Amino acid sequence: MPELPEVETTRRRIAPFLVGKRVEEIVTTGPSYFFLTSPAALRRSLVGRRIESLDRAGKYLVAGLDRGARLLLHLGMTGQLFSSEATSVRLLSATARASLPPEAQPRFEPDEHTHLQITMEGEGPKVFFRDVRKFGKVQWLASGEENARLDRLGTDALELTGEELFRANRRRRVTIKGMLLDQSVTAGVGNIYADEALFIAGVRPGRAAQRVTRRECEAIALALHRVLGRSIETGGSSISDYVAPDGSDGGYQDERKVYGRRGEACLECGDAIKRRIIAQRSSHYCARCQR
DNA sequence: ACCGCACCCTGAGCGC
DNA sequence: TGCGCTCAGGGTGCGG
């Protein structure tokens, strides 16, 4: 689900509800590996603290709190971070969806997948973190506490240069797609935007990273910036679960050129888009346009 | 050090 | 309708 553009869109739109305010109360589900910090410990640490900033590191959201503490959030595959005022059918189960009248603006009620509910002081809405598959993460970091997950992250994909990618490629025996998905090489790229950027750059996802030229690396870096930047402009891709904090859908899914288009005509040459497993992920490409 | 794989979980969609 | 199967945009930890 959420890759860099979805996380960035989430950051921008949820920040006004959090930043500059104090946490008044939280409600959580029970202990699970979703909570790297246990719900009880999280409550003890978080309640009463003031949120001073909300940043993004790769696909992580990092809330900066008073006295130097940090709260780490990761949306995993199906995580949704949104305001209690959001209305969207994406926040409902298929069965609940089916029983709705066509023009309904369904109001979300916290369910068993809503693992964290944050009430801020003042009049604003609550903030909900819902995650059906529980691949998301919540972790409290005390002042000065290091974190391996953050330290591992490579250059943010919006900053990646072709030269940097080229140099990283030389030491590795994986495919170029595997390199783009490796968060320690470049942070923020997931399956969709890797496929989209490689299409724009004209490089097949299955190419050995070592055999991608410097020039092609430049093209890939440029394509990443373009694709990620454009997706942020349109509010991200809403392909299955992703929903912005206000409940709105992103727009980038309508601009996809290869992802999820298996068998459809390539928008450049008309050949059928192919799909196969590369780097353990379903990968989409045009065999004529990508070399 | 690097690489591929199993695994964490739930739900949707498919063929039968 | 219901069952069993496959698949899903992420990341970690393990053994080879």
Side-chain angles (χ1 to χ4, degrees), chain A residues 242-263:
Chain A
Y242 177 72
V243 58
D246 56 3
S248 66
D249 282 358
Y252 197 77
Q253 64 278 6
D254 303 326
E255 302 191 17
R256 281 173 300 135
K257 292 188 160 56
V258 285
Y259 185 82
R261 297 193 63 241
R262 168 167 58 165

Side-chain angles (χ1 to χ4, degrees), chain A residues 5-66:
Chain A
E6 292 75 34
V7 177
E8 178 61 22
T9 299
T10 299
R11 185 191 71 78
R12 293 181 185 182
R13 297 194 193 171
I14 205 72
F17 302 123
L18 297 173
V19 176
K21 298 178 182 178
R22 203 167 286 279
V23 176
E24 186 173 294
E25 184 59 278
I26 69 169
V27 175
T28 71
T29 51
S32 69
Y33 65 87
F34 177 87
F35 289 103
L36 296 177
T37 301
S38 76
L42 187 65
R43 153 183 283 272
R44 281 197 301 274
S45 300
L46 191 54
V47 171
R49 299 298 278 266
R50 185 183 159 85
I51 298 180
E52 296 184 336
S53 58
L54 186 65
D55 299 313
R56 182 185 59 76
K59 300 175 197 170
Y60 287 89
L61 287 172
V62 186
L65 295 122
D66 54 355

Side-chain angles (χ1 to χ4, degrees), chain A residues 36-286:
Chain A
L36 296 177
T37 301
S38 76
L42 187 65
R43 153 183 283 272
R44 281 197 301 274
S45 300
L46 191 54
V47 171
R49 299 298 278 266
R50 185 183 159 85
I51 298 180
E52 296 184 336
S53 58
L54 186 65
D55 299 313
R56 182 185 59 76
K59 300 175 197 170
Y60 287 89
L61 287 172
V62 186
L65 295 122
D66 54 355
R67 290 178 276 153
R70 292 180 292 173
L71 182 69
L72 218 59
L73 303 174
H74 195 292
L75 300 177
M77 295 263 276
T78 53
Q80 301 168 315
L81 190 65
F82 56 98
S83 125
S84 57
E85 290 176 350
T87 59
S88 168
V89 292
R90 282 185 203 277
L91 299 171
L92 304 177
S93 69
T95 41
R97 228 175 275 181
S99 61
L100 286 173
E103 292 308 310
Q105 288 290 301
R107 181 73 179 238
F108 174 79
E109 292 298 330
D111 59 2
E112 74 269 31
H113 303 304
T114 310
H115 303 298
L116 181 60
Q117 305 175 39
I118 307 177
T119 307
M120 307 301 290
E121 68 177 1
E123 297 301 303
K126 296 180 186 185
V127 169
F128 295 144
F129 188 175
R130 179 172 187 260
D131 184 1
V132 170
R133 283 174 80 183
K134 284 204 277 193
F135 288 175
K137 295 278 177 282
V138 175
Q139 184 171 20
W140 175 266
L141 297 179
S143 177
E145 187 177 344
E146 305 267 309
N147 183 261
R149 295 162 197 274
L150 292 181
D151 293 345
R152 263 197 293 274
L153 296 177
T155 308
D156 197 85
L158 290 173
E159 317 276 311
L160 181 76
T161 66
E163 183 62 23
E164 198 178 349
L165 178 61
F166 181 70
R167 273 191 235 150
N169 279 345
R170 287 189 303 196
R171 298 181 267 118
R172 303 288 297 268
R173 297 183 174 276
V174 291
T175 58
I176 184 63
K177 172 140 178 190
M179 288 297 284
L180 297 185
L181 293 179
D182 185 337
Q183 301 299 296
S184 72
V185 172
T186 183
V189 183
N191 206 29
I192 296 177
Y193 298 105
D195 281 2
E196 294 297 317
L198 287 170
F199 174 80
I200 289 173
V203 177
R204 284 198 204 180
R207 278 266 293 286
Q210 282 182 325
R211 303 180 63 175
V212 178
T213 65
R214 179 180 264 113
R215 192 183 188 80
E216 286 171 326
C217 286
E218 298 288 352
I220 292 168
L222 204 63
L224 275 176
H225 300 165
R226 244 180 76 187
V227 161
L228 297 171
R230 174 63 188 154
S231 184
I232 292 169
E233 280 175 19
T234 60
S237 300
S238 291
I239 289 179
S240 61
D241 299 287
Y242 177 72
V243 58
D246 56 3
S248 66
D249 282 358
Y252 197 77
Q253 64 278 6
D254 303 326
E255 302 191 17
R256 281 173 300 135
K257 292 188 160 56
V258 285
Y259 185 82
R261 297 193 63 241
R262 168 167 58 165
E264 294 176 36
C266 170
L267 299 173
E268 296 295 325
C269 76
D271 275 14
I273 298 297
K274 296 194 182 314
R275 173 186 181 275
R276 67 186 189 90
I277 303 296
I278 296 163
Q280 293 85 240
R281 312 297 290 280
S282 97
S283 303
H284 310 73
Y285 62 98
C286 171

